Amino acid sequence: MATDHGCPVPGARAALLLLADGRFPAGGHAHSGGAEAAVAEGRLRDAGTLAEFCRGRLHTTGLVAAALAAAATSGADPLGLDDAADARTPSAAQRAVSRRLGRQLLRAARAVWPAPALDDLAAARPRGVHQPVVLGLTAASAGLLPLDAAYAAAYDCVSTPASAAVRLLGLDPFQAAAVLAALAAEVDSVAEEAEGAGRRALREGPAALPAGSAPLLDLGAEAHAGWAVRLFAS
Amino acid sequence: MHRDGPEVFPERYTASVEVGERALRVGLGGPVGSGKTATVAALCRALRATVSIGVVTNDIYTREDADFLLREAVLPAERIVAVETGACPHTAIRDDISANLEAVEELEEAVGPLDLVLVESGGDNLTATFSRGLVDAQVFVIDVAGGDDIPRKGGPGVTTADLLVVNKIDLAPYVGADLERMAVDAAAQRGALPVLFTAVKQPGGIDPVAAWVGDRLAAWRAVRT
């Protein structure tokens, strides 16, 4: 486990790179983070609109996910956090996707960073727990700190639509990477805010977690789930 | 408040499952249009009377292959599931097998116990192979119309698949494919690994492939007993 004075255990920094790597085999590659629906609606067209899309996602659902993850890493009850994630995810399609991705991450995490807490979570919620909650517990199992988990969640929230946009739009991959680089300072601030929220949630309960939402993402997710033909699962 | 069912989801990843405790998983890969779905359909028809089968399809665009199998009524609908691959079919069968593992396990939970699960890849290139974490054996399907130089070109699918099927040999005269050359090239690439030349849509065309799968099933069951 991580030590309490902010200094991760040996190997923790590399573990964070592994966890945040888009190639970590936890099912994320088949999801666009809402980008496919936004492309179809004409809201996501190029590097500029990708940056706006990612920024909107980061400060709404991204902050919520990062706070849930940080709270889970710091030891808040994962089942309570799972309920809190339900309450903060108005779209039924998104709730289903989040649980499915949580289940897939849990499978990978149990193989990569085995820990009793992960086994207990799988036994308690066999149909899956929301992905950010699993991410937080995975981070703890990897010896990471709550802030690390918040970073992984916040970065995932912008990197998923960015890599999907490269495939969907034929977007220049250098431009997509530049969009992510330009968002780095905002990822920092969201991760830090999320860590604080996670600490409050540990003290005061899950009601202290942020509840930002993005109605267009919710509507897009609902519509996308009903498409007959699509490239991405969400 | 949760909609979680009472059943326990299989939490383990494939490698930790005892051999013989689950269905044999056979992957079918190969280039676009070589006859993967036709092979799956013919295998289901040939084996379904004696073997309990499920099918997982991987499409670039959601459910095309699954819908074809449903229209052909090769299996009851609940035994066929489609995995969405996010524009990268090879990733879903090799680099990140999460969604496919889930689909296989959910199939076994819903309609099991199964003897055999066929995992069909989306049409892909010659480098696409299945992870050993997902399938126990893999079949690579190419066809004579795709060019008789494919065995010579090699690639992981051609060289390492447990079975190489060269399909549509009935078309060889029309596309100028040299079957003997293909056989020599395939043998050079594959050594002792088997190669079957057939046309799976012709009467009896699936029989050698079905026999090969039958042998794998017998070996799989032998471990269990």
Side-chain angles (χ1 to χ4, degrees):
Chain A
M1 286 298 293
T3 54
D4 59 4
H5 51 274
C7 179
V9 295
R13 184 168 287 178
L16 176 57
L17 293 176
L18 175 58
L19 181 60
D21 189 339
R23 287 168 297 184
F24 189 74
H29 74 95
H31 296 262
S32 78
E36 187 167 31
V39 166
E41 290 158 14
R43 290 185 287 111
L44 207 174
R45 299 177 300 277
D46 50 24
T49 47
L50 173 65
E52 290 310 304
F53 181 87
C54 289
R55 179 172 289 116
R57 197 164 189 256
L58 175 63
H59 289 281
T60 52
T61 57
L63 174 63
V64 174
L68 285 163
T73 311
S74 61
D77 169 34
L79 302 185
L81 293 175
D82 193 48
D83 290 341
D86 258 350
R88 285 160 177 74
T89 315
S91 154
Q94 289 211 9
R95 287 198 297 275
V97 164
S98 175
R99 282 179 189 275
R100 178 166 287 273
L101 283 173
R103 213 157 66 205
Q104 296 181 356
L105 175 57
L106 191 53
R107 177 200 297 277
R110 296 175 76 192
V112 178
W113 294 290
L118 298 176
D119 298 340
D120 294 345
L121 189 61
R125 285 283 183 275
R127 301 307 301 174
V129 176
H130 280 283
Q131 195 267 1
V133 181
V134 180
L135 181 62
L137 279 188
T138 301
S141 306
L144 298 174
L145 301 167
L147 180 61
D148 299 323
Y151 262 105
Y155 178 69
D156 178 64
C157 151
V158 291
S159 63
T160 297
S163 64
V166 170
R167 295 189 221 165
L168 288 164
L169 296 169
L171 191 68
D172 180 341
F174 302 126
Q175 283 190 340
V179 164
L180 293 178
L183 284 168
E186 288 178 64
V187 171
D188 275 359
S189 66
V190 164
E192 280 156 21
E193 186 181 345
E195 185 205 24
R199 225 178 301 122
R200 276 198 306 284
L202 186 62
R203 221 169 36 236
E204 303 163 20
L209 291 167
S213 79
L216 275 177
L217 281 178
D218 296 332
L219 293 170
E222 288 297 311
H224 185 269
W227 291 6
V229 171
R230 56 182 181 241
L231 272 179
F232 288 88
S234 79
Chain B
M1 202 178 78
H2 294 281
R3 290 168 298 173
D4 295 340
E7 73 272 40
V8 175
F9 192 83
E11 311 85 0
R12 74 273 151 163
Y13 56 108
T14 307
S16 65
V17 180
E18 292 299 315
V19 169
E21 297 271 308
R22 54 169 173 79
L24 174 72
R25 299 169 186 173
V26 176
L28 291 103
V32 176
S34 64
K36 293 181 296 299
T37 309
T39 303
V40 169
L43 275 176
C44 289
R45 289 194 198 95
L47 296 171
R48 67 191 173 194
T50 53
V51 176
S52 179
I53 307 174
V55 172
V56 176
T57 64
N58 283 257
D59 267 319
I60 298 177
Y61 271 115
T62 53
R63 304 190 42 93
E64 284 285 320
D65 289 339
D67 289 344
F68 173 84
L69 294 171
L70 290 173
R71 276 198 307 277
E72 296 282 301
V74 296
L75 288 177
E78 66 273 16
R79 287 175 174 258
I80 302 172
V81 297
V83 167
E84 292 157 310
T85 56
C88 280
H90 52 271
T91 304
I93 61 164
R94 185 186 57 204
D95 311 84
D96 184 350
I97 57 179
S98 308
N100 268 297
L101 280 177
E102 283 213 318
V104 170
E105 290 170 353
E106 284 173 348
L107 204 51
E108 290 199 80
E109 254 182 24
V111 298
L114 298 171
D115 302 312
L116 173 67
V117 176
L118 301 174
V119 183
E120 184 192 341
S121 157
D124 213 312
N125 55 48
L126 296 175
T127 66
T129 50
F130 284 84
S131 163
R132 296 281 168 194
L134 176 60
V135 300
D136 306 295
Q138 51 193 310
V139 180
F140 202 70
V141 182
I142 61 174
D143 74 300
V144 300
D148 60 6
D149 55 349
I150 288 181
R152 181 177 52 77
K153 286 180 180 168
V158 166
T159 54
T160 67
D162 300 291
L163 174 66
L164 178 66
V165 173
V166 182
N167 192 22
K168 307 184 193 175
I169 54 169
D170 49 337
L171 299 182
Y174 307 106
V175 297
D178 182 343
L179 294 180
E180 254 173 57
R181 177 185 155 194
M182 290 182 90
V184 170
D185 289 343
Q189 293 280 6
R190 294 173 53 78
L193 289 170
V195 184
L196 291 175
F197 284 77
T198 187
V200 300
K201 281 192 173 174
Q202 298 302 319
I206 196 62
D207 293 354
V209 185
W212 182 87
V213 172
D215 288 347
R216 298 281 78 69
L217 264 174
W220 183 256
R221 285 174 175 147
V223 176
R224 182 158 33 182
T225 51

